[in-house]
Amino acid sequence: MLFINDMSSVLSHSSTLAFFADEANCFRAINISHTDCALLQDDIDKPVEWSDNWKLAFNIDKCSLCTVTRKRSPLSCN
């Protein structure tokens, strides 16, 4: 049996890690600052480090980025 419930404990900022079946979604609000982008990237990197420590690799082919906004010109975090 495999337990991954402690993966969310590695997040250090106000991001959320939501689990459903074989998925984990990391998200946070990006307001007007590139600092928000950097904090989200840091919180994405933490579960990757967790997975390396536990020898449980993410399937990179299934990883994706989704942006949800109503802004006409959203902040680009690339």
mmCIF file of all heavy atoms in Angstrom, residues 20-57:
data_model
loop_
_atom_site.group_PDB
_atom_site.id
_atom_site.type_symbol
_atom_site.label_atom_id
_atom_site.label_comp_id
_atom_site.label_asym_id
_atom_site.label_seq_id
_atom_site.Cartn_x
_atom_site.Cartn_y
_atom_site.Cartn_z
ATOM 1 N N PHE A 20 -6.955 13.677 -5.899
ATOM 2 C CA PHE A 20 -8.127 12.962 -6.385
ATOM 3 C C PHE A 20 -7.625 11.763 -7.174
ATOM 4 O O PHE A 20 -6.889 11.920 -8.160
ATOM 5 C CB PHE A 20 -9.005 13.846 -7.272
ATOM 6 C CG PHE A 20 -10.216 13.122 -7.786
ATOM 7 C CD1 PHE A 20 -11.298 12.886 -6.949
ATOM 8 C CD2 PHE A 20 -10.261 12.642 -9.074
ATOM 9 C CE1 PHE A 20 -12.400 12.197 -7.400
ATOM 10 C CE2 PHE A 20 -11.366 11.955 -9.539
ATOM 11 C CZ PHE A 20 -12.436 11.742 -8.700
ATOM 12 N N ALA A 21 -8.010 10.578 -6.748
ATOM 13 C CA ALA A 21 -7.594 9.320 -7.398
ATOM 14 C C ALA A 21 -6.076 9.315 -7.560
ATOM 15 O O ALA A 21 -5.356 9.324 -6.581
ATOM 16 C CB ALA A 21 -8.332 9.129 -8.702
ATOM 17 N N ASP A 22 -5.578 9.313 -8.803
ATOM 18 C CA ASP A 22 -4.136 9.272 -9.025
ATOM 19 C C ASP A 22 -3.580 10.636 -9.428
ATOM 20 O O ASP A 22 -2.557 10.728 -10.089
ATOM 21 C CB ASP A 22 -3.794 8.219 -10.081
ATOM 22 C CG ASP A 22 -4.374 8.544 -11.443
ATOM 23 O OD1 ASP A 22 -5.267 9.409 -11.516
ATOM 24 O OD2 ASP A 22 -3.934 7.936 -12.430
ATOM 25 N N GLU A 23 -4.252 11.708 -9.016
ATOM 26 C CA GLU A 23 -3.819 13.066 -9.344
ATOM 27 C C GLU A 23 -3.480 13.854 -8.099
ATOM 28 O O GLU A 23 -4.041 13.634 -7.037
ATOM 29 C CB GLU A 23 -4.942 13.839 -10.050
ATOM 30 C CG GLU A 23 -5.163 13.478 -11.476
ATOM 31 C CD GLU A 23 -6.202 14.394 -12.099
ATOM 32 O OE1 GLU A 23 -6.517 15.449 -11.527
ATOM 33 O OE2 GLU A 23 -6.693 14.041 -13.167
ATOM 34 N N ALA A 24 -2.585 14.814 -8.275
ATOM 35 C CA ALA A 24 -2.302 15.817 -7.250
ATOM 36 C C ALA A 24 -2.245 17.163 -7.965
ATOM 37 O O ALA A 24 -1.523 17.315 -8.946
ATOM 38 C CB ALA A 24 -0.979 15.532 -6.562
ATOM 39 N N ASN A 25 -3.035 18.117 -7.504
ATOM 40 C CA ASN A 25 -3.086 19.440 -8.117
ATOM 41 C C ASN A 25 -2.572 20.477 -7.127
ATOM 42 O O ASN A 25 -3.077 20.580 -6.016
ATOM 43 C CB ASN A 25 -4.524 19.803 -8.516
ATOM 44 C CG ASN A 25 -5.075 18.844 -9.540
ATOM 45 O OD1 ASN A 25 -4.446 18.588 -10.548
ATOM 46 N ND2 ASN A 25 -6.241 18.299 -9.270
ATOM 47 N N CYS A 26 -1.585 21.249 -7.546
ATOM 48 C CA CYS A 26 -1.026 22.315 -6.727
ATOM 49 C C CYS A 26 -1.486 23.640 -7.320
ATOM 50 O O CYS A 26 -1.302 23.885 -8.515
ATOM 51 C CB CYS A 26 0.502 22.233 -6.725
ATOM 52 S SG CYS A 26 1.284 23.455 -5.654
ATOM 53 N N PHE A 27 -2.099 24.483 -6.477
ATOM 54 C CA PHE A 27 -2.582 25.762 -6.997
ATOM 55 C C PHE A 27 -2.522 26.849 -5.945
ATOM 56 O O PHE A 27 -2.455 26.578 -4.756
ATOM 57 C CB PHE A 27 -4.004 25.630 -7.551
ATOM 58 C CG PHE A 27 -5.010 25.091 -6.574
ATOM 59 C CD1 PHE A 27 -5.754 25.949 -5.796
ATOM 60 C CD2 PHE A 27 -5.219 23.730 -6.440
ATOM 61 C CE1 PHE A 27 -6.688 25.459 -4.903
ATOM 62 C CE2 PHE A 27 -6.150 23.229 -5.556
ATOM 63 C CZ PHE A 27 -6.891 24.101 -4.784
ATOM 64 N N ARG A 28 -2.521 28.096 -6.423
ATOM 65 C CA ARG A 28 -2.563 29.280 -5.577
ATOM 66 C C ARG A 28 -2.961 30.465 -6.425
ATOM 67 O O ARG A 28 -2.837 30.431 -7.652
ATOM 68 C CB ARG A 28 -1.238 29.553 -4.871
ATOM 69 C CG ARG A 28 -0.194 30.157 -5.743
ATOM 70 C CD ARG A 28 1.105 30.523 -5.019
ATOM 71 N NE ARG A 28 1.046 31.849 -4.455
ATOM 72 C CZ ARG A 28 1.330 32.132 -3.197
ATOM 73 N NH1 ARG A 28 1.691 31.188 -2.367
ATOM 74 N NH2 ARG A 28 1.267 33.361 -2.750
ATOM 75 N N ALA A 29 -3.453 31.499 -5.797
ATOM 76 C CA ALA A 29 -3.837 32.720 -6.498
ATOM 77 C C ALA A 29 -2.579 33.514 -6.841
ATOM 78 O O ALA A 29 -1.708 33.707 -6.011
ATOM 79 C CB ALA A 29 -4.757 33.565 -5.635
ATOM 80 N N ILE A 30 -2.502 33.955 -8.093
ATOM 81 C CA ILE A 30 -1.418 34.826 -8.544
ATOM 82 C C ILE A 30 -2.035 36.196 -8.737
ATOM 83 O O ILE A 30 -2.867 36.397 -9.619
ATOM 84 C CB ILE A 30 -0.805 34.329 -9.880
ATOM 85 C CG1 ILE A 30 -0.327 32.888 -9.764
ATOM 86 C CG2 ILE A 30 0.300 35.265 -10.333
ATOM 87 C CD1 ILE A 30 0.814 32.664 -8.812
ATOM 88 N N ASN A 31 -1.654 37.143 -7.916
ATOM 89 C CA ASN A 31 -2.264 38.469 -7.971
ATOM 90 C C ASN A 31 -1.499 39.386 -8.917
ATOM 91 O O ASN A 31 -1.546 39.206 -10.116
ATOM 92 C CB ASN A 31 -2.396 39.049 -6.568
ATOM 93 C CG ASN A 31 -3.371 38.251 -5.726
ATOM 94 O OD1 ASN A 31 -4.442 37.897 -6.191
ATOM 95 N ND2 ASN A 31 -2.985 37.923 -4.516
ATOM 96 N N ILE A 32 -0.789 40.335 -8.407
ATOM 97 C CA ILE A 32 -0.151 41.313 -9.286
ATOM 98 C C ILE A 32 1.367 41.252 -9.247
ATOM 99 O O ILE A 32 2.037 42.103 -9.799
ATOM 100 C CB ILE A 32 -0.607 42.744 -8.913
ATOM 101 C CG1 ILE A 32 -0.287 43.038 -7.458
ATOM 102 C CG2 ILE A 32 -2.070 42.932 -9.207
ATOM 103 C CD1 ILE A 32 -0.511 44.470 -7.043
ATOM 104 N N SER A 33 1.917 40.258 -8.609
ATOM 105 C CA SER A 33 3.347 40.238 -8.360
ATOM 106 C C SER A 33 4.006 38.983 -8.936
ATOM 107 O O SER A 33 3.444 37.890 -8.881
ATOM 108 C CB SER A 33 3.577 40.285 -6.851
ATOM 109 O OG SER A 33 4.908 40.036 -6.545
ATOM 110 N N HIS A 34 5.208 39.177 -9.459
ATOM 111 C CA HIS A 34 5.984 38.014 -9.892
ATOM 112 C C HIS A 34 6.461 37.195 -8.700
ATOM 113 O O HIS A 34 6.858 36.047 -8.855
ATOM 114 C CB HIS A 34 7.168 38.457 -10.760
ATOM 115 C CG HIS A 34 6.765 38.866 -12.134
ATOM 116 N ND1 HIS A 34 6.409 37.960 -13.099
ATOM 117 C CD2 HIS A 34 6.625 40.083 -12.693
ATOM 118 C CE1 HIS A 34 6.083 38.592 -14.207
ATOM 119 N NE2 HIS A 34 6.201 39.889 -13.988
ATOM 120 N N THR A 35 6.395 37.788 -7.516
ATOM 121 C CA THR A 35 6.725 37.047 -6.300
ATOM 122 C C THR A 35 5.750 35.894 -6.113
ATOM 123 O O THR A 35 6.151 34.801 -5.704
ATOM 124 C CB THR A 35 6.682 37.986 -5.078
ATOM 125 O OG1 THR A 35 7.572 39.071 -5.301
ATOM 126 C CG2 THR A 35 7.062 37.256 -3.812
ATOM 127 N N ASP A 36 4.462 36.112 -6.427
ATOM 128 C CA ASP A 36 3.471 35.035 -6.348
ATOM 129 C C ASP A 36 3.856 33.883 -7.268
ATOM 130 O O ASP A 36 3.696 32.715 -6.916
ATOM 131 C CB ASP A 36 2.077 35.539 -6.723
ATOM 132 C CG ASP A 36 1.481 36.445 -5.678
ATOM 133 O OD1 ASP A 36 1.880 36.347 -4.499
ATOM 134 O OD2 ASP A 36 0.607 37.254 -6.043
ATOM 135 N N CYS A 37 4.363 34.213 -8.454
ATOM 136 C CA CYS A 37 4.801 33.173 -9.390
ATOM 137 C C CYS A 37 5.961 32.379 -8.816
ATOM 138 O O CYS A 37 5.994 31.151 -8.909
ATOM 139 C CB CYS A 37 5.213 33.793 -10.714
ATOM 140 S SG CYS A 37 3.914 34.637 -11.608
ATOM 141 N N ALA A 38 6.907 33.086 -8.215
ATOM 142 C CA ALA A 38 8.076 32.418 -7.624
ATOM 143 C C ALA A 38 7.666 31.531 -6.452
ATOM 144 O O ALA A 38 8.196 30.419 -6.285
ATOM 145 C CB ALA A 38 9.100 33.453 -7.175
ATOM 146 N N LEU A 39 6.712 31.992 -5.645
ATOM 147 C CA LEU A 39 6.241 31.186 -4.515
ATOM 148 C C LEU A 39 5.518 29.932 -4.998
ATOM 149 O O LEU A 39 5.688 28.847 -4.423
ATOM 150 C CB LEU A 39 5.322 32.017 -3.623
ATOM 151 C CG LEU A 39 5.990 33.168 -2.880
ATOM 152 C CD1 LEU A 39 4.946 34.001 -2.144
ATOM 153 C CD2 LEU A 39 7.053 32.666 -1.937
ATOM 154 N N LEU A 40 4.726 30.060 -6.056
ATOM 155 C CA LEU A 40 4.061 28.880 -6.614
ATOM 156 C C LEU A 40 5.087 27.902 -7.161
ATOM 157 O O LEU A 40 4.992 26.692 -6.926
ATOM 158 C CB LEU A 40 3.065 29.273 -7.711
ATOM 159 C CG LEU A 40 2.403 28.108 -8.438
ATOM 160 C CD1 LEU A 40 1.605 27.234 -7.460
ATOM 161 C CD2 LEU A 40 1.514 28.613 -9.556
ATOM 162 N N GLN A 41 6.091 28.407 -7.881
ATOM 163 C CA GLN A 41 7.120 27.513 -8.417
ATOM 164 C C GLN A 41 7.848 26.794 -7.295
ATOM 165 O O GLN A 41 8.135 25.602 -7.387
ATOM 166 C CB GLN A 41 8.115 28.293 -9.280
ATOM 167 C CG GLN A 41 9.149 27.392 -9.937
ATOM 168 C CD GLN A 41 8.530 26.365 -10.859
ATOM 169 O OE1 GLN A 41 7.774 26.703 -11.758
ATOM 170 N NE2 GLN A 41 8.839 25.097 -10.636
ATOM 171 N N ASP A 42 8.126 27.500 -6.210
ATOM 172 C CA ASP A 42 8.768 26.878 -5.051
ATOM 173 C C ASP A 42 7.885 25.773 -4.484
ATOM 174 O O ASP A 42 8.368 24.693 -4.130
ATOM 175 C CB ASP A 42 9.062 27.940 -3.994
ATOM 176 C CG ASP A 42 9.845 27.382 -2.831
ATOM 177 O OD1 ASP A 42 10.860 26.690 -3.069
ATOM 178 O OD2 ASP A 42 9.444 27.635 -1.679
ATOM 179 N N ASP A 43 6.579 26.023 -4.420
ATOM 180 C CA ASP A 43 5.659 25.008 -3.899
ATOM 181 C C ASP A 43 5.451 23.854 -4.875
ATOM 182 O O ASP A 43 5.051 22.767 -4.471
ATOM 183 C CB ASP A 43 4.311 25.638 -3.530
ATOM 184 C CG ASP A 43 4.365 26.311 -2.170
ATOM 185 O OD1 ASP A 43 5.290 26.005 -1.392
ATOM 186 O OD2 ASP A 43 3.487 27.134 -1.888
ATOM 187 N N ILE A 44 5.722 24.059 -6.135
ATOM 188 C CA ILE A 44 5.684 22.948 -7.097
ATOM 189 C C ILE A 44 6.958 22.113 -6.958
ATOM 190 O O ILE A 44 6.923 20.879 -7.071
ATOM 191 C CB ILE A 44 5.519 23.477 -8.536
ATOM 192 C CG1 ILE A 44 4.118 24.056 -8.716
ATOM 193 C CG2 ILE A 44 5.783 22.376 -9.559
ATOM 194 C CD1 ILE A 44 3.906 24.779 -10.020
ATOM 195 N N ASP A 45 8.061 22.779 -6.690
ATOM 196 C CA ASP A 45 9.337 22.067 -6.540
ATOM 197 C C ASP A 45 9.375 21.188 -5.291
ATOM 198 O O ASP A 45 10.012 20.135 -5.290
ATOM 199 C CB ASP A 45 10.498 23.061 -6.493
ATOM 200 C CG ASP A 45 10.712 23.776 -7.818
ATOM 201 O OD1 ASP A 45 10.236 23.271 -8.853
ATOM 202 O OD2 ASP A 45 11.345 24.851 -7.811
ATOM 203 N N LYS A 46 8.700 21.599 -4.227
ATOM 204 C CA LYS A 46 8.721 20.841 -2.966
ATOM 205 C C LYS A 46 8.159 19.425 -3.112
ATOM 206 O O LYS A 46 8.779 18.468 -2.650
ATOM 207 C CB LYS A 46 7.968 21.593 -1.868
ATOM 208 C CG LYS A 46 8.585 22.910 -1.489
ATOM 209 C CD LYS A 46 9.882 22.725 -0.748
ATOM 210 C CE LYS A 46 10.385 24.098 -0.316
ATOM 211 N NZ LYS A 46 11.648 24.056 0.344
ATOM 212 N N PRO A 47 6.978 19.218 -3.735
ATOM 213 C CA PRO A 47 6.507 17.832 -3.924
ATOM 214 C C PRO A 47 7.425 17.009 -4.835
ATOM 215 O O PRO A 47 7.522 15.796 -4.681
ATOM 216 C CB PRO A 47 5.120 18.000 -4.545
ATOM 217 C CG PRO A 47 4.671 19.338 -4.102
ATOM 218 C CD PRO A 47 5.922 20.171 -4.072
ATOM 219 N N VAL A 48 8.104 17.671 -5.766
ATOM 220 C CA VAL A 48 9.061 16.952 -6.617
ATOM 221 C C VAL A 48 10.222 16.437 -5.762
ATOM 222 O O VAL A 48 10.645 15.287 -5.901
ATOM 223 C CB VAL A 48 9.557 17.850 -7.770
ATOM 224 C CG1 VAL A 48 10.675 17.175 -8.541
ATOM 225 C CG2 VAL A 48 8.403 18.207 -8.699
ATOM 226 N N GLU A 49 10.718 17.282 -4.848
ATOM 227 C CA GLU A 49 11.762 16.835 -3.924
ATOM 228 C C GLU A 49 11.254 15.701 -3.041
ATOM 229 O O GLU A 49 11.972 14.732 -2.780
ATOM 230 C CB GLU A 49 12.226 17.996 -3.047
ATOM 231 C CG GLU A 49 12.982 19.070 -3.791
ATOM 232 C CD GLU A 49 13.254 20.297 -2.931
ATOM 233 O OE1 GLU A 49 13.121 20.213 -1.689
ATOM 234 O OE2 GLU A 49 13.602 21.340 -3.507
ATOM 235 N N TRP A 50 9.999 15.831 -2.565
ATOM 236 C CA TRP A 50 9.382 14.785 -1.754
ATOM 237 C C TRP A 50 9.359 13.466 -2.534
ATOM 238 O O TRP A 50 9.695 12.411 -1.999
ATOM 239 C CB TRP A 50 7.966 15.203 -1.368
ATOM 240 C CG TRP A 50 7.202 14.181 -0.604
ATOM 241 C CD1 TRP A 50 7.122 14.065 0.754
ATOM 242 C CD2 TRP A 50 6.394 13.132 -1.139
ATOM 243 N NE1 TRP A 50 6.314 13.005 1.089
ATOM 244 C CE2 TRP A 50 5.858 12.411 -0.061
ATOM 245 C CE3 TRP A 50 6.077 12.718 -2.431
ATOM 246 C CZ2 TRP A 50 5.028 11.314 -0.237
ATOM 247 C CZ3 TRP A 50 5.251 11.630 -2.612
ATOM 248 C CH2 TRP A 50 4.733 10.944 -1.511
ATOM 249 N N SER A 51 8.974 13.535 -3.800
ATOM 250 C CA SER A 51 8.881 12.315 -4.609
ATOM 251 C C SER A 51 10.257 11.699 -4.844
ATOM 252 O O SER A 51 10.384 10.478 -4.890
ATOM 253 C CB SER A 51 8.184 12.594 -5.939
ATOM 254 O OG SER A 51 9.011 13.361 -6.793
ATOM 255 N N ASP A 52 11.274 12.535 -5.000
ATOM 256 C CA ASP A 52 12.636 12.008 -5.148
ATOM 257 C C ASP A 52 13.087 11.294 -3.881
ATOM 258 O O ASP A 52 13.705 10.231 -3.950
ATOM 259 C CB ASP A 52 13.614 13.138 -5.479
ATOM 260 C CG ASP A 52 13.427 13.700 -6.879
ATOM 261 O OD1 ASP A 52 12.796 13.030 -7.717
ATOM 262 O OD2 ASP A 52 13.907 14.830 -7.119
ATOM 263 N N ASN A 53 12.774 11.882 -2.718
ATOM 264 C CA ASN A 53 13.151 11.248 -1.448
ATOM 265 C C ASN A 53 12.473 9.899 -1.254
ATOM 266 O O ASN A 53 13.065 8.975 -0.697
ATOM 267 C CB ASN A 53 12.808 12.160 -0.270
ATOM 268 C CG ASN A 53 13.701 13.373 -0.205
ATOM 269 O OD1 ASN A 53 14.807 13.364 -0.738
ATOM 270 N ND2 ASN A 53 13.226 14.416 0.438
ATOM 271 N N TRP A 54 11.232 9.785 -1.690
ATOM 272 C CA TRP A 54 10.476 8.546 -1.519
ATOM 273 C C TRP A 54 10.572 7.610 -2.719
ATOM 274 O O TRP A 54 9.911 6.580 -2.773
ATOM 275 C CB TRP A 54 9.003 8.854 -1.227
ATOM 276 C CG TRP A 54 8.817 9.375 0.151
ATOM 277 C CD1 TRP A 54 8.670 10.669 0.542
ATOM 278 C CD2 TRP A 54 8.774 8.600 1.353
ATOM 279 N NE1 TRP A 54 8.551 10.747 1.903
ATOM 280 C CE2 TRP A 54 8.602 9.494 2.433
ATOM 281 C CE3 TRP A 54 8.869 7.239 1.625
ATOM 282 C CZ2 TRP A 54 8.521 9.065 3.748
ATOM 283 C CZ3 TRP A 54 8.791 6.824 2.939
ATOM 284 C CH2 TRP A 54 8.621 7.727 3.973
ATOM 285 N N LYS A 55 11.403 7.980 -3.700
ATOM 286 C CA LYS A 55 11.609 7.150 -4.914
ATOM 287 C C LYS A 55 10.281 6.884 -5.629
ATOM 288 O O LYS A 55 10.006 5.786 -6.098
ATOM 289 C CB LYS A 55 12.289 5.819 -4.571
ATOM 290 C CG LYS A 55 13.536 5.927 -3.751
ATOM 291 C CD LYS A 55 14.666 6.485 -4.542
ATOM 292 C CE LYS A 55 15.968 6.371 -3.781
ATOM 293 N NZ LYS A 55 16.468 7.602 -3.254
ATOM 294 N N LEU A 56 9.460 7.939 -5.708
ATOM 295 C CA LEU A 56 8.148 7.853 -6.339
ATOM 296 C C LEU A 56 8.068 8.964 -7.379
ATOM 297 O O LEU A 56 7.715 10.094 -7.068
ATOM 298 C CB LEU A 56 7.044 8.020 -5.292
ATOM 299 C CG LEU A 56 5.615 7.934 -5.766
ATOM 300 C CD1 LEU A 56 5.308 6.518 -6.232
ATOM 301 C CD2 LEU A 56 4.674 8.330 -4.650
ATOM 302 N N ALA A 57 8.452 8.656 -8.603
ATOM 303 C CA ALA A 57 8.568 9.679 -9.640
ATOM 304 C C ALA A 57 7.206 10.090 -10.189
ATOM 305 O O ALA A 57 6.290 9.272 -10.300
ATOM 306 C CB ALA A 57 9.434 9.164 -10.776
#
